[in-house]
Amino acid sequence: MSVSQDCQQFLDSRKSLVLSTISAQGELETSVMPFVVANAGELAIFVSELSAHTQNLLNLTGLAQNAGDSNFTGLVSGLLLADENETPEIFARERIGMQLQVSRVDSGSVEWQEIVDRFAANFGEVVDVLRNLPDFHCFKLVVVRGRYVRGFGAAYAFEGCPCKEMQGIKGR
């Protein structure tokens, strides 16, 4: 398989995303949450506002709206990791790290419905309960750039859509 195919297979096999956000006070918050692929180059998360990371995302997207700059929605960092139990060498753990542009998906919109339906298809009946809770919000995460690490000496950079047009990363 090609590097792009390996990367895509790895992306398709993941169900959870490690996401790092920054609070209004400048504190880093790292959490893990389920995700779905919304479209090519776009992930989506469905999260409760009771969580610190959701508050950070609401603040980040609110700042963009308040700033009057429709192009600014803020960046967060996402990480997809291979299971430790399936990793023969922890120093060479397979992973995809990404810089993600955040936007809020309006509750009840067609896009919101499509994304939440995808969550229900992937994660089951619990989503039918969560979709009716007023504290749950849907965010779209557009991949700006990232890196796929397949193992020792096998790191690749990409811009935009993950696993496409991969460029090998050389050491010093």
Side-chain angles (χ1 to χ4, degrees), residues 23-59:
S23 73
Q25 296 75 33
E27 295 176 348
L28 186 63
E29 175 71 30
T30 301
S31 306
V32 64
M33 64 216 55
F35 79 96
V36 296
V37 175
N39 294 298
E42 297 178 351
L43 309 179
I45 56 174
F46 189 49
V47 290
S48 169
E49 68 186 41
L50 301 176
S51 299
H53 58 263
T54 305
Q55 289 299 317
N56 295 344
L57 293 169
L58 289 168
N59 288 338

PDB file of all heavy atoms in Angstrom, residues 23-59:
ATOM      1  N   SER A  23      -8.174  27.977  26.907  1.00  0.00           N
ATOM      2  CA  SER A  23      -9.237  28.719  27.591  1.00  0.00           C
ATOM      3  C   SER A  23      -9.032  30.223  27.413  1.00  0.00           C
ATOM      4  O   SER A  23      -7.974  30.676  26.970  1.00  0.00           O
ATOM      5  CB  SER A  23      -9.250  28.380  29.085  1.00  0.00           C
ATOM      6  OG  SER A  23      -8.137  28.989  29.726  1.00  0.00           O
ATOM      7  N   ALA A  24     -10.043  30.983  27.805  1.00  0.00           N
ATOM      8  CA  ALA A  24      -9.955  32.450  27.751  1.00  0.00           C
ATOM      9  C   ALA A  24      -8.829  32.957  28.652  1.00  0.00           C
ATOM     10  O   ALA A  24      -8.303  34.047  28.435  1.00  0.00           O
ATOM     11  CB  ALA A  24     -11.292  33.068  28.156  1.00  0.00           C
ATOM     12  N   GLN A  25      -8.444  32.161  29.663  1.00  0.00           N
ATOM     13  CA  GLN A  25      -7.357  32.529  30.571  1.00  0.00           C
ATOM     14  C   GLN A  25      -6.005  32.043  30.074  1.00  0.00           C
ATOM     15  O   GLN A  25      -4.986  32.190  30.757  1.00  0.00           O
ATOM     16  CB  GLN A  25      -7.619  31.957  31.977  1.00  0.00           C
ATOM     17  CG  GLN A  25      -8.842  32.504  32.671  1.00  0.00           C
ATOM     18  CD  GLN A  25     -10.148  31.940  32.118  1.00  0.00           C
ATOM     19  OE1 GLN A  25     -10.217  30.791  31.699  1.00  0.00           O
ATOM     20  NE2 GLN A  25     -11.181  32.768  32.095  1.00  0.00           N
ATOM     21  N   GLY A  26      -5.968  31.436  28.891  1.00  0.00           N
ATOM     22  CA  GLY A  26      -4.715  30.975  28.311  1.00  0.00           C
ATOM     23  C   GLY A  26      -4.266  29.611  28.799  1.00  0.00           C
ATOM     24  O   GLY A  26      -3.132  29.211  28.542  1.00  0.00           O
ATOM     25  N   GLU A  27      -5.146  28.876  29.470  1.00  0.00           N
ATOM     26  CA  GLU A  27      -4.789  27.546  29.955  1.00  0.00           C
ATOM     27  C   GLU A  27      -5.108  26.497  28.902  1.00  0.00           C
ATOM     28  O   GLU A  27      -6.172  26.512  28.283  1.00  0.00           O
ATOM     29  CB  GLU A  27      -5.552  27.226  31.244  1.00  0.00           C
ATOM     30  CG  GLU A  27      -5.177  28.129  32.392  1.00  0.00           C
ATOM     31  CD  GLU A  27      -6.002  27.875  33.632  1.00  0.00           C
ATOM     32  OE1 GLU A  27      -7.026  27.161  33.563  1.00  0.00           O
ATOM     33  OE2 GLU A  27      -5.628  28.407  34.686  1.00  0.00           O
ATOM     34  N   LEU A  28      -4.183  25.569  28.716  1.00  0.00           N
ATOM     35  CA  LEU A  28      -4.350  24.493  27.750  1.00  0.00           C
ATOM     36  C   LEU A  28      -5.250  23.418  28.336  1.00  0.00           C
ATOM     37  O   LEU A  28      -5.100  23.020  29.496  1.00  0.00           O
ATOM     38  CB  LEU A  28      -2.983  23.902  27.398  1.00  0.00           C
ATOM     39  CG  LEU A  28      -2.957  22.856  26.301  1.00  0.00           C
ATOM     40  CD1 LEU A  28      -3.411  23.451  24.972  1.00  0.00           C
ATOM     41  CD2 LEU A  28      -1.554  22.299  26.172  1.00  0.00           C
ATOM     42  N   GLU A  29      -6.202  22.955  27.542  1.00  0.00           N
ATOM     43  CA  GLU A  29      -7.109  21.873  27.931  1.00  0.00           C
ATOM     44  C   GLU A  29      -7.027  20.804  26.852  1.00  0.00           C
ATOM     45  O   GLU A  29      -7.266  21.082  25.678  1.00  0.00           O
ATOM     46  CB  GLU A  29      -8.543  22.392  28.039  1.00  0.00           C
ATOM     47  CG  GLU A  29      -9.575  21.342  28.313  1.00  0.00           C
ATOM     48  CD  GLU A  29      -9.519  20.765  29.714  1.00  0.00           C
ATOM     49  OE1 GLU A  29      -9.104  21.488  30.642  1.00  0.00           O
ATOM     50  OE2 GLU A  29      -9.891  19.601  29.883  1.00  0.00           O
ATOM     51  N   THR A  30      -6.680  19.587  27.240  1.00  0.00           N
ATOM     52  CA  THR A  30      -6.606  18.477  26.310  1.00  0.00           C
ATOM     53  C   THR A  30      -7.622  17.430  26.733  1.00  0.00           C
ATOM     54  O   THR A  30      -7.667  17.045  27.902  1.00  0.00           O
ATOM     55  CB  THR A  30      -5.196  17.876  26.256  1.00  0.00           C
ATOM     56  OG1 THR A  30      -4.275  18.908  25.866  1.00  0.00           O
ATOM     57  CG2 THR A  30      -5.114  16.732  25.273  1.00  0.00           C
ATOM     58  N   SER A  31      -8.437  16.990  25.771  1.00  0.00           N
ATOM     59  CA  SER A  31      -9.516  16.051  26.039  1.00  0.00           C
ATOM     60  C   SER A  31      -9.588  15.037  24.907  1.00  0.00           C
ATOM     61  O   SER A  31      -8.996  15.220  23.856  1.00  0.00           O
ATOM     62  CB  SER A  31     -10.857  16.788  26.112  1.00  0.00           C
ATOM     63  OG  SER A  31     -10.818  17.835  27.030  1.00  0.00           O
ATOM     64  N   VAL A  32     -10.367  14.006  25.139  1.00  0.00           N
ATOM     65  CA  VAL A  32     -10.612  13.010  24.103  1.00  0.00           C
ATOM     66  C   VAL A  32     -12.109  12.906  23.878  1.00  0.00           C
ATOM     67  O   VAL A  32     -12.890  13.029  24.819  1.00  0.00           O
ATOM     68  CB  VAL A  32      -9.978  11.645  24.473  1.00  0.00           C
ATOM     69  CG1 VAL A  32     -10.613  11.045  25.703  1.00  0.00           C
ATOM     70  CG2 VAL A  32     -10.010  10.693  23.313  1.00  0.00           C
ATOM     71  N   MET A  33     -12.503  12.746  22.616  1.00  0.00           N
ATOM     72  CA  MET A  33     -13.919  12.702  22.276  1.00  0.00           C
ATOM     73  C   MET A  33     -14.127  11.914  20.994  1.00  0.00           C
ATOM     74  O   MET A  33     -13.217  11.828  20.165  1.00  0.00           O
ATOM     75  CB  MET A  33     -14.465  14.118  22.104  1.00  0.00           C
ATOM     76  CG  MET A  33     -13.847  14.866  20.947  1.00  0.00           C
ATOM     77  SD  MET A  33     -13.599  16.625  21.218  1.00  0.00           S
ATOM     78  CE  MET A  33     -12.656  16.690  22.701  1.00  0.00           C
ATOM     79  N   PRO A  34     -15.333  11.367  20.806  1.00  0.00           N
ATOM     80  CA  PRO A  34     -15.640  10.726  19.528  1.00  0.00           C
ATOM     81  C   PRO A  34     -15.686  11.760  18.413  1.00  0.00           C
ATOM     82  O   PRO A  34     -15.984  12.931  18.657  1.00  0.00           O
ATOM     83  CB  PRO A  34     -17.024  10.119  19.743  1.00  0.00           C
ATOM     84  CG  PRO A  34     -17.276  10.169  21.202  1.00  0.00           C
ATOM     85  CD  PRO A  34     -16.424  11.256  21.760  1.00  0.00           C
ATOM     86  N   PHE A  35     -15.413  11.320  17.200  1.00  0.00           N
ATOM     87  CA  PHE A  35     -15.520  12.207  16.037  1.00  0.00           C
ATOM     88  C   PHE A  35     -16.052  11.413  14.861  1.00  0.00           C
ATOM     89  O   PHE A  35     -16.039  10.171  14.861  1.00  0.00           O
ATOM     90  CB  PHE A  35     -14.161  12.836  15.694  1.00  0.00           C
ATOM     91  CG  PHE A  35     -13.240  11.912  14.950  1.00  0.00           C
ATOM     92  CD1 PHE A  35     -13.159  11.961  13.559  1.00  0.00           C
ATOM     93  CD2 PHE A  35     -12.462  10.986  15.615  1.00  0.00           C
ATOM     94  CE1 PHE A  35     -12.318  11.098  12.863  1.00  0.00           C
ATOM     95  CE2 PHE A  35     -11.620  10.117  14.933  1.00  0.00           C
ATOM     96  CZ  PHE A  35     -11.552  10.181  13.548  1.00  0.00           C
ATOM     97  N   VAL A  36     -16.525  12.124  13.868  1.00  0.00           N
ATOM     98  CA  VAL A  36     -16.893  11.534  12.580  1.00  0.00           C
ATOM     99  C   VAL A  36     -16.248  12.373  11.485  1.00  0.00           C
ATOM    100  O   VAL A  36     -15.915  13.536  11.703  1.00  0.00           O
ATOM    101  CB  VAL A  36     -18.421  11.455  12.360  1.00  0.00           C
ATOM    102  CG1 VAL A  36     -19.078  10.537  13.383  1.00  0.00           C
ATOM    103  CG2 VAL A  36     -19.060  12.830  12.363  1.00  0.00           C
ATOM    104  N   VAL A  37     -16.079  11.772  10.331  1.00  0.00           N
ATOM    105  CA  VAL A  37     -15.636  12.520   9.157  1.00  0.00           C
ATOM    106  C   VAL A  37     -16.884  13.135   8.551  1.00  0.00           C
ATOM    107  O   VAL A  37     -17.839  12.427   8.208  1.00  0.00           O
ATOM    108  CB  VAL A  37     -14.908  11.606   8.152  1.00  0.00           C
ATOM    109  CG1 VAL A  37     -14.561  12.366   6.885  1.00  0.00           C
ATOM    110  CG2 VAL A  37     -13.655  11.017   8.790  1.00  0.00           C
ATOM    111  N   ALA A  38     -16.911  14.470   8.481  1.00  0.00           N
ATOM    112  CA  ALA A  38     -18.079  15.177   7.950  1.00  0.00           C
ATOM    113  C   ALA A  38     -18.031  15.210   6.430  1.00  0.00           C
ATOM    114  O   ALA A  38     -19.012  14.917   5.755  1.00  0.00           O
ATOM    115  CB  ALA A  38     -18.145  16.583   8.524  1.00  0.00           C
ATOM    116  N   ASN A  39     -16.891  15.586   5.894  1.00  0.00           N
ATOM    117  CA  ASN A  39     -16.632  15.650   4.449  1.00  0.00           C
ATOM    118  C   ASN A  39     -15.136  15.454   4.283  1.00  0.00           C
ATOM    119  O   ASN A  39     -14.398  15.433   5.271  1.00  0.00           O
ATOM    120  CB  ASN A  39     -17.028  17.028   3.877  1.00  0.00           C
ATOM    121  CG  ASN A  39     -18.518  17.274   3.957  1.00  0.00           C
ATOM    122  OD1 ASN A  39     -19.309  16.549   3.365  1.00  0.00           O
ATOM    123  ND2 ASN A  39     -18.911  18.302   4.699  1.00  0.00           N
ATOM    124  N   ALA A  40     -14.675  15.374   3.060  1.00  0.00           N
ATOM    125  CA  ALA A  40     -13.237  15.256   2.823  1.00  0.00           C
ATOM    126  C   ALA A  40     -12.527  16.451   3.461  1.00  0.00           C
ATOM    127  O   ALA A  40     -12.887  17.597   3.198  1.00  0.00           O
ATOM    128  CB  ALA A  40     -12.945  15.201   1.331  1.00  0.00           C
ATOM    129  N   GLY A  41     -11.586  16.186   4.333  1.00  0.00           N
ATOM    130  CA  GLY A  41     -10.836  17.253   4.990  1.00  0.00           C
ATOM    131  C   GLY A  41     -11.551  17.898   6.153  1.00  0.00           C
ATOM    132  O   GLY A  41     -11.081  18.900   6.689  1.00  0.00           O
ATOM    133  N   GLU A  42     -12.687  17.333   6.572  1.00  0.00           N
ATOM    134  CA  GLU A  42     -13.452  17.902   7.686  1.00  0.00           C
ATOM    135  C   GLU A  42     -13.865  16.812   8.665  1.00  0.00           C
ATOM    136  O   GLU A  42     -14.425  15.792   8.276  1.00  0.00           O
ATOM    137  CB  GLU A  42     -14.729  18.582   7.180  1.00  0.00           C
ATOM    138  CG  GLU A  42     -14.492  19.744   6.273  1.00  0.00           C
ATOM    139  CD  GLU A  42     -15.788  20.361   5.756  1.00  0.00           C
ATOM    140  OE1 GLU A  42     -16.881  19.784   5.969  1.00  0.00           O
ATOM    141  OE2 GLU A  42     -15.688  21.418   5.136  1.00  0.00           O
ATOM    142  N   LEU A  43     -13.585  17.066   9.932  1.00  0.00           N
ATOM    143  CA  LEU A  43     -14.058  16.205  11.005  1.00  0.00           C
ATOM    144  C   LEU A  43     -15.183  16.938  11.717  1.00  0.00           C
ATOM    145  O   LEU A  43     -15.332  18.154  11.570  1.00  0.00           O
ATOM    146  CB  LEU A  43     -12.931  15.911  11.990  1.00  0.00           C
ATOM    147  CG  LEU A  43     -11.604  15.411  11.418  1.00  0.00           C
ATOM    148  CD1 LEU A  43     -10.608  15.197  12.541  1.00  0.00           C
ATOM    149  CD2 LEU A  43     -11.802  14.153  10.617  1.00  0.00           C
ATOM    150  N   ALA A  44     -15.954  16.211  12.506  1.00  0.00           N
ATOM    151  CA  ALA A  44     -16.986  16.849  13.316  1.00  0.00           C
ATOM    152  C   ALA A  44     -17.002  16.197  14.689  1.00  0.00           C
ATOM    153  O   ALA A  44     -16.721  15.003  14.832  1.00  0.00           O
ATOM    154  CB  ALA A  44     -18.354  16.715  12.655  1.00  0.00           C
ATOM    155  N   ILE A  45     -17.303  17.009  15.700  1.00  0.00           N
ATOM    156  CA  ILE A  45     -17.440  16.515  17.065  1.00  0.00           C
ATOM    157  C   ILE A  45     -18.795  16.971  17.594  1.00  0.00           C
ATOM    158  O   ILE A  45     -19.352  17.973  17.153  1.00  0.00           O
ATOM    159  CB  ILE A  45     -16.294  16.991  17.982  1.00  0.00           C
ATOM    160  CG1 ILE A  45     -16.183  18.518  17.979  1.00  0.00           C
ATOM    161  CG2 ILE A  45     -14.978  16.329  17.577  1.00  0.00           C
ATOM    162  CD1 ILE A  45     -15.160  19.068  18.968  1.00  0.00           C
ATOM    163  N   PHE A  46     -19.329  16.230  18.559  1.00  0.00           N
ATOM    164  CA  PHE A  46     -20.628  16.494  19.165  1.00  0.00           C
ATOM    165  C   PHE A  46     -20.399  16.402  20.669  1.00  0.00           C
ATOM    166  O   PHE A  46     -20.226  15.308  21.202  1.00  0.00           O
ATOM    167  CB  PHE A  46     -21.625  15.447  18.662  1.00  0.00           C
ATOM    168  CG  PHE A  46     -23.054  15.698  19.018  1.00  0.00           C
ATOM    169  CD1 PHE A  46     -23.646  16.926  18.805  1.00  0.00           C
ATOM    170  CD2 PHE A  46     -23.821  14.669  19.547  1.00  0.00           C
ATOM    171  CE1 PHE A  46     -24.983  17.146  19.116  1.00  0.00           C
ATOM    172  CE2 PHE A  46     -25.155  14.872  19.856  1.00  0.00           C
ATOM    173  CZ  PHE A  46     -25.735  16.116  19.641  1.00  0.00           C
ATOM    174  N   VAL A  47     -20.343  17.552  21.343  1.00  0.00           N
ATOM    175  CA  VAL A  47     -19.826  17.608  22.707  1.00  0.00           C
ATOM    176  C   VAL A  47     -20.707  18.448  23.629  1.00  0.00           C
ATOM    177  O   VAL A  47     -21.418  19.342  23.191  1.00  0.00           O
ATOM    178  CB  VAL A  47     -18.382  18.175  22.717  1.00  0.00           C
ATOM    179  CG1 VAL A  47     -17.405  17.182  22.100  1.00  0.00           C
ATOM    180  CG2 VAL A  47     -18.311  19.496  21.958  1.00  0.00           C
ATOM    181  N   SER A  48     -20.622  18.150  24.932  1.00  0.00           N
ATOM    182  CA  SER A  48     -21.424  18.828  25.947  1.00  0.00           C
ATOM    183  C   SER A  48     -20.747  20.105  26.419  1.00  0.00           C
ATOM    184  O   SER A  48     -19.534  20.131  26.648  1.00  0.00           O
ATOM    185  CB  SER A  48     -21.639  17.903  27.147  1.00  0.00           C
ATOM    186  OG  SER A  48     -22.200  18.617  28.231  1.00  0.00           O
ATOM    187  N   GLU A  49     -21.549  21.149  26.630  1.00  0.00           N
ATOM    188  CA  GLU A  49     -20.996  22.410  27.142  1.00  0.00           C
ATOM    189  C   GLU A  49     -20.588  22.308  28.603  1.00  0.00           C
ATOM    190  O   GLU A  49     -20.005  23.226  29.153  1.00  0.00           O
ATOM    191  CB  GLU A  49     -21.964  23.563  26.913  1.00  0.00           C
ATOM    192  CG  GLU A  49     -23.222  23.514  27.709  1.00  0.00           C
ATOM    193  CD  GLU A  49     -24.198  24.612  27.329  1.00  0.00           C
ATOM    194  OE1 GLU A  49     -24.366  24.915  26.135  1.00  0.00           O
ATOM    195  OE2 GLU A  49     -24.801  25.162  28.262  1.00  0.00           O
ATOM    196  N   LEU A  50     -20.872  21.180  29.245  1.00  0.00           N
ATOM    197  CA  LEU A  50     -20.401  20.965  30.614  1.00  0.00           C
ATOM    198  C   LEU A  50     -18.900  20.682  30.638  1.00  0.00           C
ATOM    199  O   LEU A  50     -18.273  20.762  31.689  1.00  0.00           O
ATOM    200  CB  LEU A  50     -21.172  19.816  31.272  1.00  0.00           C
ATOM    201  CG  LEU A  50     -22.688  20.000  31.359  1.00  0.00           C
ATOM    202  CD1 LEU A  50     -23.338  18.761  31.948  1.00  0.00           C
ATOM    203  CD2 LEU A  50     -23.029  21.241  32.177  1.00  0.00           C
ATOM    204  N   SER A  51     -18.322  20.355  29.489  1.00  0.00           N
ATOM    205  CA  SER A  51     -16.896  20.069  29.384  1.00  0.00           C
ATOM    206  C   SER A  51     -16.104  21.349  29.136  1.00  0.00           C
ATOM    207  O   SER A  51     -16.552  22.227  28.393  1.00  0.00           O
ATOM    208  CB  SER A  51     -16.637  19.112  28.216  1.00  0.00           C
ATOM    209  OG  SER A  51     -17.315  17.908  28.426  1.00  0.00           O
ATOM    210  N   ALA A  52     -14.918  21.417  29.723  1.00  0.00           N
ATOM    211  CA  ALA A  52     -14.062  22.598  29.558  1.00  0.00           C
ATOM    212  C   ALA A  52     -13.701  22.827  28.095  1.00  0.00           C
ATOM    213  O   ALA A  52     -13.690  23.965  27.628  1.00  0.00           O
ATOM    214  CB  ALA A  52     -12.799  22.454  30.405  1.00  0.00           C
ATOM    215  N   HIS A  53     -13.433  21.751  27.353  1.00  0.00           N
ATOM    216  CA  HIS A  53     -13.043  21.939  25.949  1.00  0.00           C
ATOM    217  C   HIS A  53     -14.193  22.545  25.137  1.00  0.00           C
ATOM    218  O   HIS A  53     -13.949  23.343  24.235  1.00  0.00           O
ATOM    219  CB  HIS A  53     -12.549  20.633  25.318  1.00  0.00           C
ATOM    220  CG  HIS A  53     -13.525  19.510  25.345  1.00  0.00           C
ATOM    221  ND1 HIS A  53     -13.493  18.543  26.307  1.00  0.00           N
ATOM    222  CD2 HIS A  53     -14.557  19.204  24.538  1.00  0.00           C
ATOM    223  CE1 HIS A  53     -14.461  17.673  26.091  1.00  0.00           C
ATOM    224  NE2 HIS A  53     -15.137  18.068  25.022  1.00  0.00           N
ATOM    225  N   THR A  54     -15.429  22.200  25.467  1.00  0.00           N
ATOM    226  CA  THR A  54     -16.565  22.781  24.745  1.00  0.00           C
ATOM    227  C   THR A  54     -16.692  24.260  25.052  1.00  0.00           C
ATOM    228  O   THR A  54     -16.947  25.074  24.145  1.00  0.00           O
ATOM    229  CB  THR A  54     -17.872  22.042  25.086  1.00  0.00           C
ATOM    230  OG1 THR A  54     -17.690  20.649  24.822  1.00  0.00           O
ATOM    231  CG2 THR A  54     -19.034  22.566  24.267  1.00  0.00           C
ATOM    232  N   GLN A  55     -16.490  24.650  26.305  1.00  0.00           N
ATOM    233  CA  GLN A  55     -16.507  26.073  26.656  1.00  0.00           C
ATOM    234  C   GLN A  55     -15.436  26.821  25.867  1.00  0.00           C
ATOM    235  O   GLN A  55     -15.676  27.917  25.361  1.00  0.00           O
ATOM    236  CB  GLN A  55     -16.310  26.272  28.163  1.00  0.00           C
ATOM    237  CG  GLN A  55     -17.499  25.850  28.986  1.00  0.00           C
ATOM    238  CD  GLN A  55     -18.749  26.638  28.642  1.00  0.00           C
ATOM    239  OE1 GLN A  55     -18.724  27.854  28.466  1.00  0.00           O
ATOM    240  NE2 GLN A  55     -19.861  25.935  28.513  1.00  0.00           N
ATOM    241  N   ASN A  56     -14.266  26.211  25.755  1.00  0.00           N
ATOM    242  CA  ASN A  56     -13.182  26.837  24.986  1.00  0.00           C
ATOM    243  C   ASN A  56     -13.564  26.994  23.512  1.00  0.00           C
ATOM    244  O   ASN A  56     -13.292  28.029  22.900  1.00  0.00           O
ATOM    245  CB  ASN A  56     -11.895  26.022  25.107  1.00  0.00           C
ATOM    246  CG  ASN A  56     -11.349  25.996  26.515  1.00  0.00           C
ATOM    247  OD1 ASN A  56     -11.732  26.794  27.365  1.00  0.00           O
ATOM    248  ND2 ASN A  56     -10.466  25.056  26.781  1.00  0.00           N
ATOM    249  N   LEU A  57     -14.207  25.976  22.950  1.00  0.00           N
ATOM    250  CA  LEU A  57     -14.634  26.042  21.549  1.00  0.00           C
ATOM    251  C   LEU A  57     -15.730  27.088  21.354  1.00  0.00           C
ATOM    252  O   LEU A  57     -15.728  27.830  20.375  1.00  0.00           O
ATOM    253  CB  LEU A  57     -15.116  24.672  21.078  1.00  0.00           C
ATOM    254  CG  LEU A  57     -14.044  23.588  20.992  1.00  0.00           C
ATOM    255  CD1 LEU A  57     -14.680  22.216  20.771  1.00  0.00           C
ATOM    256  CD2 LEU A  57     -13.028  23.901  19.915  1.00  0.00           C
ATOM    257  N   LEU A  58     -16.669  27.162  22.295  1.00  0.00           N
ATOM    258  CA  LEU A  58     -17.719  28.179  22.218  1.00  0.00           C
ATOM    259  C   LEU A  58     -17.115  29.580  22.305  1.00  0.00           C
ATOM    260  O   LEU A  58     -17.507  30.477  21.553  1.00  0.00           O
ATOM    261  CB  LEU A  58     -18.760  27.976  23.331  1.00  0.00           C
ATOM    262  CG  LEU A  58     -19.666  26.757  23.167  1.00  0.00           C
ATOM    263  CD1 LEU A  58     -20.441  26.497  24.453  1.00  0.00           C
ATOM    264  CD2 LEU A  58     -20.609  26.940  21.984  1.00  0.00           C
ATOM    265  N   ASN A  59     -16.144  29.762  23.210  1.00  0.00           N
ATOM    266  CA  ASN A  59     -15.472  31.058  23.327  1.00  0.00           C
ATOM    267  C   ASN A  59     -14.701  31.390  22.052  1.00  0.00           C
ATOM    268  O   ASN A  59     -14.756  32.519  21.567  1.00  0.00           O
ATOM    269  CB  ASN A  59     -14.516  31.076  24.522  1.00  0.00           C
ATOM    270  CG  ASN A  59     -15.245  31.104  25.844  1.00  0.00           C
ATOM    271  OD1 ASN A  59     -16.397  31.510  25.935  1.00  0.00           O
ATOM    272  ND2 ASN A  59     -14.566  30.652  26.888  1.00  0.00           N
TER     273      ASN A  59
END
